[in-house]
Amino acid sequence: MVVVTREFTEITVVGEDDTGLIAEVTSLLFERSINIEDLDQAVREGVFRMTMHVDTSEMVCTEAKLREDLHDLGDDLGVDVKVRFPADRETQQIAVLVTKESHCLEAIFEAWASGDLDADVNVVIGNHPDLEPLAEKYDVPFHNIGDENGNPDEEQLLDLLAEYDADLIVLARYMRILSPSVVFRYESQIINVHPSLLPAFPGAEAYLQALEEGVRIAGVTAHYVTTDLDQGPIITQRAFNVPQDADTEPEDLRRIGQPLEAEALLEAIDLHLRDEVAVHRGRTQLRNPEESSAQLGAPKELNDLVPDRPIDGLGEVVAEQEADD
């Protein structure tokens, strides 16, 4: 397992799938004495994505020259190349995507204003104009990229993310699915919050699904976004009891869940910004659990409520019989 840290330079290549793309990029790096520490590539809907973490500490060119050479190569190959050196991430920039629900955006702004967010919120992008007044209150630029039906212009979205140099994209109840063209460009840099305990009830109307299935415990999940809907690596979760009233409605669950959505999302953002969480084989884990106070699952107090008896004792019985023989 390669532990990817901010000491490595990150190179992302995205474009139309074609043969030889990986070889062209890796050859350029080899010629400049750059060691590849981690490489991951995928193709979805004809879109190619390659993400590399490389050691540039002993490269035989300047950072500016490497960036220029990679961009020139990208132009020749017809792909987009993004390079992020360790120093580029000292002050991280957050782009928040929203639709109409305000609770998550408001929580992010409050954390930012109080100094609890280790980054700057430098743009809010919506597919409806409803939350523009909230962005104006905090003097943050707002861009509406949706048409009259809320269908977003993804080319405009990509242009804005590049213009504002987003390090992290937060989907604060953004009710649209991002295409591979967006997700591939920001691998492990997009965090979403979903109103269910994933993997249960993905997609739309999660609270309604929970009621229809009769669950007694519902919850929310903050996770990294992948090209598979609501299946990205889970970062944080919160749970709550479903009211036992026979006439409980989805809106009742929404009122309980929304504060937890904001709480789980903020914790996931904080863990990401502080580089405390890593993804390995599709599962998140704390980089240094012994040094972290974070709790990715339920509160630790829950451990005290779990009974430790009875357990399957057959193994002990068999062991005693073998000892007697």
Side-chain angles (χ1 to χ4, degrees), residues 7-256:
E7 299 305 312
F8 292 141
T9 295
E10 182 180 85
I11 300 171
T12 304
V13 180
V14 178
E16 186 176 347
D17 188 29
D18 198 2
T19 58
L21 293 177
I22 297 176
E24 291 280 0
V25 178
T26 56
S27 295
L28 184 150
L29 298 177
F30 175 76
E31 292 167 359
R32 289 153 183 75
S33 299
I34 296 171
N35 189 50
I36 299 172
E37 300 290 343
D38 185 59
L39 186 153
D40 182 60
Q41 64 88 26
V43 177
R44 183 63 61 90
E45 299 178 15
V47 179
F48 169 85
R49 185 269 304 162
M50 175 172 64
T51 301
M52 293 184 291
H53 293 90
V54 303
D55 184 354
T56 54
S57 61
E58 297 183 5
M59 66 179 177
V60 292
C61 66
T62 65
E63 290 185 357
K65 178 61 174 172
L66 176 62
R67 195 189 300 272
E68 178 185 352
D69 289 347
L70 283 169
H71 286 168
D72 288 345
L73 178 61
D75 290 340
D76 292 341
L77 298 174
V79 296
D80 293 336
V81 181
K82 183 172 65 173
V83 185
R84 299 169 73 225
F85 293 101
D88 295 339
R89 285 165 264 176
E90 291 179 355
T91 302
Q92 299 188 80
Q93 306 296 325
I94 298 177
V96 185
L97 274 57
V98 298
T99 295
K100 294 184 177 183
E101 295 183 33
S102 65
H103 56 289
C104 286
L105 178 60
E106 191 164 3
I108 291 169
F109 275 147
E110 289 176 353
W112 180 43
S114 64
D116 294 333
L117 204 60
D118 192 23
D120 286 333
V121 180
N122 63 347
V123 66
V124 176
I125 303 170
N127 64 316
H128 287 281
D130 298 55
L131 299 185
E132 184 171 4
L134 185 55
E136 289 178 348
K137 174 183 176 181
Y138 287 89
D139 198 25
V140 173
F142 182 94
H143 296 269
N144 177 22
I145 61 169
D147 62 16
E148 62 274 9
N149 296 315
N151 299 311
D153 183 338
E154 281 209 341
E155 288 299 323
Q156 186 181 1
L157 173 60
L158 286 171
D159 289 343
L160 288 169
L161 294 176
E163 176 185 344
Y164 286 95
D165 197 22
D167 294 296
L168 176 64
I169 302 167
V170 177
L171 308 188
R173 301 300 289 131
Y174 180 67
M175 308 303 289
R176 292 289 172 171
I177 298 173
L178 298 176
S179 75
S181 184
V182 178
V183 175
F184 278 173
R185 283 172 167 80
Y186 294 91
E187 185 81 7
S188 297
Q189 294 171 249
I190 308 175
I191 295 177
N192 180 44
V193 64
H194 184 73
S196 80
L197 289 174
L198 293 174
F201 316 132
E205 301 292 346
Y207 289 134
L208 175 60
Q209 292 183 63
L211 284 178
E212 289 178 341
E213 294 297 328
V215 300
R216 303 315 314 169
I217 297 175
V220 304
T221 302
H223 65 97
Y224 285 114
V225 173
T226 65
T227 54
D228 296 313
L229 178 63
D230 293 332
Q231 295 183 43
I234 292 170
I235 309 173
T236 57
Q237 293 184 299
R238 296 291 187 275
F240 61 88
N241 288 318
V242 175
Q244 298 186 31
D245 301 336
D247 57 350
T248 298
E249 297 290 336
E251 186 59 36
D252 299 320
L253 299 194
R254 189 171 290 109
R255 280 192 293 270
I256 300 172

Side-chain angles (χ1 to χ4, degrees), residues 280-298:
H280 180 55
R281 295 181 179 176
R283 180 181 175 88
T284 57
Q285 59 189 39
L286 294 173
R287 293 191 189 280
N288 299 295
E290 65 282 353
E291 300 175 8
S292 176
S293 61
Q295 176 67 21
L296 299 185

